[in-house]
Amino acid sequence: MSGMLRITLVRSLSGRNEYNRRVVRGLGLTRMHRPVLRKDTPEVRGMVKKVGFLLSVEEVGERGEAQ
């Protein structure tokens, strides 16, 4: 695992439980359709797996370009 992940919130947090909201906020997502770049680490992958049904995830290179 090297490089970066471009993570985008594509589903609303309305009606979601507090646990899901905290995981999404922990990833640094604040609004829908606004991507963030995070290092591809096991910790981030685990968070993405927990709330993957709310997210769009894309692997990108070190500088942010899509692979």
Side-chain angles (χ1 to χ4, degrees):
M1 284 184 265
S2 64
M4 304 287 279
L5 295 175
R6 180 179 292 132
I7 306 168
T8 307
L9 184 63
V10 294
R11 307 250 343 231
S12 175
L13 292 176
S14 296
R16 304 294 174 192
N17 62 26
E18 187 63 26
Y19 178 79
N20 290 342
R21 292 172 188 256
R22 286 184 185 212
V23 173
V24 169
R25 297 292 179 231
L27 286 168
L29 297 163
T30 56
R31 298 179 68 182
M32 287 184 56
H33 306 293
R34 182 174 289 179
V36 295
L37 288 175
R38 295 290 171 252
K39 286 190 178 181
D40 189 3
T41 64
E43 295 83 4
V44 171
R45 286 278 183 165
M47 293 172 79
V48 166
K49 190 173 180 181
K50 290 287 186 180
V51 292
F53 59 96
L54 299 172
L55 308 175
S56 169
V57 181
E58 179 184 359
E59 291 187 27
V60 295
E62 290 291 329
R63 295 189 185 114
E65 64 273 353
Q67 292 181 338

